[in-house]
Amino acid sequence: MPEQPFIARGFHRRRSGGSERQLPPGQYETRDFPVLSAGPTPHTPLADWDFTILDEAGKSVRWSWDELQSLPRETPTVDIHCVTKWSKFGTRWEGVSVDTLVAMARENGLDDGEFVLALAEGGYTTNLPAADVTGGKAWIAFAFDGKPLAPEHGGPARLLVPHLYFWKSAKWVRGLRFMQHDRPGFWEQLGYHNRGDPWREQRYQGDP
Amino acid sequence: MTPRLDWRVSKVVDVRDETPRARTLVLEVPEWPGHRAGQHVDIRLVAEDGYQAQRSYSIASAPENPSVELTIERLAEGEVSPYLSDVLRPGDGLEVRGPIGGYFVWSTAQAGPLLLVAGGSGIVPLMAMLRHRTRADETRRAETPTRLLYSARTWDDVIYKEELKQLGADAEVHLTLTRDAPADWNGFRRRVDRAMLQEVGWPASELPNVYVCGPTPFTESVATLLVELGHAPAMVRTERFGPTG
Amino acid sequence: MRLDGNAAGGMLRDLFTLDATTADATCAGCGGVRPIGALPAYASDMGIILRCPSCDVAILRVARTPGRLRVDFSGVSFLTIPE
């Protein structure tokens, strides 16, 4: 049985201004935008960039950067929640809804699946239920706070799925693969949750 | 086999202000097994609500010193360093785990020239090496001729000023100030570059043991320059510091 | 935050009884051999990823979740530990 931890006299977390907004359990508000990375920041030239949706049969649809930019875009303002316990309220983004891209993929004969695997540069992956990236819940985001998305925050484009813990919002996203069966991605293989709902505190494998 | 590392509650017995932004904590760690110059400890702070923060700090004191000294640089936006600099006082407890690290270590048993290159708070583990060397006998010191190149932003940021001055009798100490220097400054006034390393460092043909420590971009740039100057990568040991927050 | 394998030393001591930072790791991607302490490390509260500086392959991935430490060694083809 773990002992009582030694309490450091007078130590507390760094506090930002008080906030009335709703925090998921175990989270605290930050006004910063911390950068967490699992690898070096990629620098893919836009001329070489593309985004692909694939299905399990191997069918795919591909968009170039210019093609993505020509699609209808939205400007969601959302709260984001990191599994390392910080939450940031009212973040402003611009991007193309994943619904737009999935609809085009379906028109091209792709089968969806119950799950998706987001594919990003450097082999980073994250898995989540397909229902969590559709129905107005997810975007391929390329601007933050009115400016082009900075490389250290995932630019030129990242997946944005704000209702789940932010490691699911894969930085440097390049594609989505539909799957019939769930397969753990980069952090999920190391013990993080397959879905990651911050309101149910689904941080780690085995959390209900 | 060495035992698992456990957290121990150390006692702060003294604090010393080194510069306006750096402070040394002197700790008594129960059952401290001793350390090697260059090693670090992890410290852990637990708040009453269970919130935890952990950071790593290099040990500044020589292995021959029974206390464990840590020199903390205070980052205004940090979470841990303001606590260690402003709140912690003698008599308080501080949880530590260590010593950690067998890669970035040096002792006088490693005969041969020694080159130390420090960026900012990267001076801390290198200071442990210099302090260890000071306590060695004359033969050991003669076998390990030492040069230090220390890069700091301003004169106010230079830690261990007095001690470095005294060390100058038995080792070559070079300083470079990158942002601002006093009017009568005789040292370098720019970032560490190839020419500076060539001028003050040992030539690669002398096969020096090299230790580089500081923020990641500094350490990587200096290590790359040293390899370009002909030092074997295996002879250049690096320790990258993050913002110590 | 970009550090190096020295920063993983504390976590790795819970795994190995010997100091892992002096162990030489052979990259499963390109065969390069380097001490763990010298590897670039991408560290956050989620975990630590040590990568090969030549080919960027994740040599070692470590995550601490409540009650367990999970390590992915698939990027290491050999680990040579000095005794």
Side-chain angles (χ1 to χ4, degrees):
Chain A
M1 195 161 82
E3 295 170 11
Q4 271 292 87
F6 174 78
I7 305 296
R9 181 192 64 81
F11 175 67
H12 53 74
R13 73 175 91 249
R14 196 160 38 127
R15 294 178 183 132
S16 9
S19 175
E20 297 304 306
R21 305 286 288 271
Q22 264 276 62
L23 278 171
Q27 301 289 108
Y28 66 91
E29 185 195 355
T30 184
R31 300 281 164 95
D32 297 334
F33 196 173
V35 174
L36 282 75
S37 290
T41 300
H43 296 283
T44 303
L46 293 179
D48 300 338
W49 187 94
D50 58 15
F51 182 83
T52 307
I53 295 189
L54 311 102
D55 69 11
E56 268 185 336
K59 287 217 207 69
S60 65
V61 182
R62 187 191 156 272
W63 292 264
S64 67
W65 180 259
D66 289 342
E67 284 166 343
L68 184 81
Q69 294 296 307
S70 70
L71 295 173
R73 49 184 69 183
E74 299 175 5
T75 53
T77 298
V78 293
D79 300 338
I80 59 181
H81 311 289
C82 181
V83 73
T84 62
K85 311 207 168 168
W86 58 262
S87 287
K88 191 169 169 64
F89 293 129
T91 60
R92 300 184 304 120
W93 303 84
E94 188 175 352
V96 173
S97 170
V98 171
D99 290 312
T100 304
L101 301 166
V102 169
M104 289 170 76
R106 285 194 188 120
E107 278 164 28
N108 276 266
L110 270 70
D111 292 318
D112 20 308
E114 207 182 315
F115 301 95
V116 294
L117 188 68
L119 309 167
E121 306 269 13
Y124 181 83
T125 54
T126 183
N127 59 312
L128 54 168
D132 282 306
V133 297
T134 49
K137 299 193 218 68
W139 297 263
I140 302 302
F142 41 75
F144 171 73
D145 219 19
K147 296 187 278 280
L149 185 59
E152 71 263 17
H153 283 302
R158 75 180 296 163
L159 180 62
L160 176 65
V161 191
H163 72 288
L164 298 179
Y165 282 121
F166 216 50
W167 93 78
K168 300 286 182 182
S169 292
K171 294 199 283 195
W172 313 302
V173 74
R174 294 294 297 273
L176 288 177
R177 172 184 286 132
F178 279 107
M179 314 187 285
Q180 290 308 331
H181 303 284
D182 207 0
R183 244 179 61 198
F186 185 95
W187 285 115
E188 295 83 4
Q189 291 162 21
L190 292 173
Y192 287 87
H193 201 273
N194 283 326
R195 185 166 176 256
D197 180 346
W199 299 97
R200 294 195 197 164
E201 226 178 344
Q202 292 174 339
R203 298 180 195 268
Y204 312 110
Q205 296 284 344
D207 285 344
Chain B
M1 294 229 293
T2 34
R4 271 176 68 107
L5 272 188
D6 286 321
W7 289 101
R8 288 183 249 246
V9 182
S10 71
K11 181 152 138 200
V12 180
V13 297
D14 198 10
V15 300
R16 256 187 344 252
D17 285 326
E18 304 279 357
T19 71
R21 285 193 316 140
R23 190 204 217 197
T24 291
L25 309 177
V26 182
L27 309 175
E28 242 168 43
V29 187
E31 291 169 35
W32 180 246
H35 70 282
R36 294 153 70 192
Q39 288 187 304
H40 65 272
V41 293
D42 289 342
I43 67 134
R44 177 167 78 180
L45 301 175
V46 180
E48 270 169 7
D49 65 359
Y51 178 77
Q52 276 196 25
Q54 255 187 54
R55 297 290 186 273
S56 299
Y57 287 100
S58 290
I59 302 172
S61 43
E64 294 77 6
N65 185 337
S67 307
V68 174
E69 296 191 359
L70 309 178
T71 300
I72 314 294
E73 188 184 17
R74 186 188 193 287
L75 296 190
E77 290 308 304
E79 184 173 57
V80 167
S81 63
Y83 173 78
L84 299 177
S85 302
D86 305 338
V87 180
L88 201 65
R89 60 188 184 219
D92 280 336
L94 181 65
E95 264 194 306
V96 304
R97 171 173 74 170
I100 299 168
Y103 162 73
F104 194 79
V105 294
W106 180 81
S107 83
T108 51
Q110 289 168 242
L114 178 65
L115 174 61
L116 307 175
V117 186
S121 53
I123 185 66
V124 177
L126 307 186
M127 203 60 195
M129 296 176 187
L130 288 164
R131 287 166 166 170
H132 160 67
R133 180 174 174 270
T134 302
R135 296 178 195 224
D137 63 43
E138 209 180 308
T139 316
R140 287 286 174 107
R141 280 183 282 122
E143 286 169 357
T144 56
T146 294
R147 295 179 182 174
L148 166 71
L149 174 58
Y150 176 10
S151 171
R153 273 175 291 221
T154 67
W155 178 240
D156 267 358
D157 293 308
V158 174
I159 316 176
Y160 315 124
K161 291 179 176 71
E162 270 314 304
E163 212 173 326
L164 288 176
K165 194 152 66 161
Q166 283 163 21
L167 276 172
D170 191 30
E172 276 182 41
V173 176
H174 300 273
L175 258 54
T176 181
L177 302 181
T178 60
R179 190 180 287 175
D180 202 20
D184 57 351
W185 181 246
N186 282 334
F188 294 107
R189 288 168 188 257
R190 63 185 199 271
R191 289 172 187 249
V192 175
D193 55 27
R194 193 187 164 108
M196 197 187 295
L197 287 168
Q198 216 157 3
E199 190 183 325
V200 310
W202 298 96
S205 52
E206 302 273 352
L207 301 178
N209 289 299
V210 188
Y211 293 82
V212 186
C213 185
T216 296
F218 171 89
T219 302
E220 291 189 339
S221 133
V222 170
T224 302
L225 290 171
L226 288 165
V227 170
E228 281 173 14
L229 285 171
H231 297 272
M235 297 293 285
V236 179
R237 290 178 182 238
T238 53
E239 178 143 297
R240 299 158 173 84
F241 278 1
T244 49
Chain C
M1 189 152 56
R2 196 120 102 60
L3 303 171
D4 54 33
N6 290 305
M11 238 198 217
L12 292 176
R13 275 299 302 275
D14 284 342
L15 180 72
F16 293 104
T17 51
L18 298 165
D19 175 16
T21 59
T22 54
D24 277 337
T26 305
C27 173
C30 68
V33 184
R34 286 172 188 85
I36 288 199
L39 295 174
Y42 298 84
S44 72
D45 286 346
M46 285 192 82
I48 299 187
I49 314 296
L50 304 186
R51 287 191 181 265
C52 177
S54 300
C55 74
D56 273 339
V57 150
I59 286 188
L60 207 65
R61 303 192 292 153
V62 189
R64 171 169 265 137
T65 57
R68 55 167 61 97
L69 191 66
R70 196 121 199 245
V71 188
D72 172 18
F73 280 103
S74 59
V76 181
S77 40
F78 295 101
L79 200 62
T80 308
I81 305 176
E83 289 205 291

